[in-house]
Structure formats: structure tokens, C-alpha cells
């Protein structure tokens, strides 16, 4: 399964920055060993249901450690029997653009 998620504290510092808390969540994802990537809006992670959801929970817990309120946005592509889709889906788009 692929999961795209965004987790952040509901409020930032004086300038609305949430980067330190989000960095802790990304640190959790990267330490998981699962295929992942982070962009400006989401962190994408690939693996089996239980392992991916456990990492999402750990990321939420990391943000909750510094904030009394946490926001989570999650989108999942559940396709049993398919792996390597974190890059394969993007490659199919790139291939179509060349046609």
C-alpha cells in the first residue's frame, strides 16, 4: 500500500512555523526503513498495512509530544500484490509524457 500523509501541530510558533515538529515526524518515517519520500506537502510511504499505519501513528505521536493538538491528513492507495509503486507510478507518468 502507498500512503501519503501530512501531520503537523495545529498551531505554530510566533511565525506559524511547524517545521521542527514536522521534522520529528519525518525522522520517524525515515528510521522505519520503509520506502519513503517527502515533498513540500506530504510524506509518502510504502509497505504493508500494519507496518505503514504503525509508522503513521509513531509520526503522529512524535508531533503530539510537542503539541497538545495534531492535524493528520492521510490518503491511501491499497493495491494488494503490488510493490515498488512509490516510484513505478511516477515512472508510468514520465513514460506517458514522452509518448
Amino acid at each position: 500500500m502507498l500512503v501519503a500523509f501530512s501531520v503537523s501541530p495545529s498551531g505554530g510558533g510566533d511565525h506559524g512555523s511547524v517545521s521542527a515538529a514536522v521534522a520529528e515526524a519525518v525522522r520517524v518515517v525515515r528510521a522505519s526503513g520503509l520506502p519513503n519520500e517527502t515533498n513540500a506537502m506530504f510524506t509518502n510511504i510504502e509497505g504493508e498495512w500494519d507496518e505503514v499505519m504503525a509508522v503513521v501513528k509513531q509520526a503522529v505521536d512524535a508531533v503530539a509530544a510537542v503539541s497538545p493538538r495534531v492535524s493528520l491528513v492521510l490518503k491511501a492507495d491499497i493495491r494488494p500484490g503490488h510493490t515498488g509503486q512509490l516510484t513505478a507510478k511516477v515512472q508510468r507518468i514520465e513514460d506517458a509524457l514522452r509518448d
Side-chain angles (χ1 to χ4, degrees):
M1 89 183 296
L2 289 175
V3 167
F5 76 102
S6 172
V7 59
S8 65
S10 286
D14 295 338
H15 301 288
S17 177
V18 297
S19 58
V22 172
E24 290 304 314
V26 172
R27 186 172 281 118
V28 166
V29 173
R30 290 182 180 175
S32 75
L34 295 176
N36 68 85
E37 63 184 19
T38 299
N39 59 50
M41 296 292 293
F42 288 95
T43 294
N44 302 317
I45 187 169
E46 183 173 16
E48 295 300 318
W49 179 279
D50 290 340
E51 60 189 0
V52 168
M53 290 303 175
V55 173
V56 170
K57 182 182 183 322
Q58 291 169 8
V60 168
D61 290 345
V63 173
V66 298
S67 177
R69 191 171 187 179
V70 177
S71 173
L72 173 66
V73 175
L74 186 142
K75 181 177 181 179
D77 181 1
I78 303 160
R79 194 172 180 197
H82 289 79
T83 60
Q85 297 303 297
L86 189 65
T87 55
K89 288 179 80 163
V90 175
Q91 188 59 52
R92 287 191 293 274
I93 299 289
E94 293 298 333
D95 292 346
L97 287 169
R98 283 192 286 274
D99 292 340

